[in-house]
Amino acid sequence: MTTSRTARTLLVTAVVAAVVGLLVGRFLTYSDTPTVPLPTVVVPDDTEVRALQATAEAAPDNAAAWQTLGLAATDHAITTADPAWYAVASDALERATELDPDDHFTTIASGRLALSLHDFTTARERGLSATAAAPASADAWGVLVDAHVELGDYDAAATALDTMLALDPDLSALARASYLRQLNGDLDGAIVAMRQAVAAGAGTNPTVNALLGDLLLQRGDLDAARDAYESTATAAGAAGLARIAAAEGDLATAELILTDLAGRTPAPPVITALAEVQQRAGNAEGLADTVELARTVAALQIDAGQVVDLELALFEASFGDPERAVELAELAHEARPDNVYAAGSLAWAHHVAGNDADARALATDATRLGTVDTAHELRMAAITGEGMDALLARNPLAEELFLP
């Protein structure tokens, strides 16, 4: 990486922090003491990844150093919701490939980066290359599973997952098994697999506890979900606790938690949850600021090379500009026509924009797997007029936990 690129990355990182800080600061004001303390959230600092960056730059012909930096920068971008680190990851992996083009570890790392950037076609190509070069690598199969899932080729994903599980039934494989079960409507099986993933991780990956909490929310089990969220000092865990607070009627605490969280890790799911709470509370001014924040973060993601059409379309449909939502959702659906969430995003955008005939046709496709996802199900039920009774039978708190 050149010195100028490094300097640019540092500048962009500072701009991200400054812009988000200013926006959050505009509505981070409270008149009441929260009824519960803020959850503990550990946001990784950049000490380790900067040390790896210095090591790679000091040994520019060491492919392994660049490879390690690429992986670390990708993970850091994800955990901190700071897209500026994707440029570091991309440059590092390009350099590693130049130095050793046949190293399948670099191919796997490049696949993970492509997944993070939502470039799923490239991720599938990397996954196919990696599994061909290293068929005994569970990590290679993991990239391929994720790419197939995101592109909507669920049968191919299940086949690749079977191979991954046979090679190493560890946390990452079990978590993927859980997600595929959830996609196919098997909530109980998804929870079992995620509990196995938690046990397999033995505390090494706290995010998996938050994923378990998310699944428990899908059946309205607030106490069990709370236990899962409280066991992990992650942004996802704190967001889950905020959602529980909102479901229990404590909107002030929910907004406090999410506003604090958005100021530190402005990940799109956090921002969406904040917008939901503000809409429920009738906080129009705060919601307007959150919409602005969401658009700012999306612009920074796009500048970093991320594709955010699907996620931003859902947000715009629910809280922003319905016509813009349709445009974005059409792009997402065109890129991933077999993905149930892409179909659902376009269905919801059309519904909010008043195009109900188009929305109903797409909703049929979006629900073809029986996917268990309360927010997704609420949206599709609003479009079709069907499925609400079954959803409430499974999760009586569905409407308190999520907005359509």
Side-chain angles (χ1 to χ4, degrees), residues 35-293:
T35 58
V36 296
L38 290 177
T40 299
V41 178
V42 177
V43 180
D45 64 30
D46 58 10
T47 302
E48 181 178 351
V49 69
R50 289 194 186 280
L52 293 172
Q53 189 174 24
T55 297
E57 291 175 345
D61 295 328
N62 185 332
W66 290 107
Q67 181 187 93
T68 302
L69 173 60
L71 279 168
T74 299
D75 289 344
H76 194 67
I78 295 168
T79 57
T80 62
D82 184 350
W85 286 99
Y86 287 125
V88 177
S90 179
D91 285 351
L93 293 174
E94 285 179 13
R95 180 58 180 159
T97 301
E98 291 172 1
L99 292 168
D100 190 354
D102 297 325
D103 188 338
H104 71 272
F105 289 109
T106 301
T107 305
I108 294 170
S110 297
R112 288 179 59 185
L113 174 60
L115 288 168
S116 300
L117 294 172
H118 297 178
D119 182 357
F120 301 117
T121 299
T122 297
R124 180 172 58 186
E125 293 171 356
R126 298 287 189 271
L128 289 169
S129 296
T131 53
S137 169
D139 288 336
W141 288 100
V143 170
L144 191 56
V145 171
D146 292 348
H148 282 319
V149 166
E150 295 297 341
L151 291 170
D153 193 344
Y154 302 112
D155 290 339
T159 299
L161 179 60
D162 285 343
T163 301
M164 186 182 185
L165 285 164
L167 289 168
D168 188 2
D170 67 353
L171 180 155
S172 60
L174 290 165
R176 288 175 169 89
S178 175
Y179 185 49
L180 274 177
R181 290 176 184 180
Q182 180 186 359
L183 280 169
N184 285 282
D186 181 7
L187 178 58
D188 289 341
I191 290 173
V192 168
M194 195 61 76
R195 289 193 186 281
Q196 292 173 332
V198 171
T204 59
N205 188 338
T207 301
V208 74
N209 295 80
L211 293 175
L212 175 59
D214 291 344
L215 288 173
L216 293 165
L217 280 191
Q218 301 303 321
R219 67 182 186 194
D221 191 343
L222 299 193
D223 289 338
R226 182 184 287 108
D227 289 342
Y229 290 135
E230 287 178 344
S231 69
T232 170
T234 63
L241 291 171
R243 195 172 288 284
I244 290 173
E248 293 177 333
D250 192 351
L251 295 175
T253 293
E255 185 173 0
L256 179 68
I257 293 170
L258 291 165
T259 302
D260 173 73
L261 197 56
R264 292 190 282 167
T265 56
V270 171
I271 297 172
T272 297
L274 177 58
E276 290 182 17
V277 169
Q278 290 170 328
Q279 190 174 89
R280 285 184 187 276
N283 182 359
E285 184 178 356
L287 179 59
D289 283 332
T290 300
V291 170
E292 186 177 351
L293 173 61

Side-chain angles (χ1 to χ4, degrees), residues 296-321:
T296 299
V297 170
L300 292 166
Q301 291 175 302
I302 292 166
D303 184 61
Q306 280 187 288
V307 178
V308 298
D309 297 335
L310 191 157
E311 296 79 9
L312 187 57
L314 281 175
F315 188 91
E316 289 286 356
S318 295
F319 308 109
D321 181 350

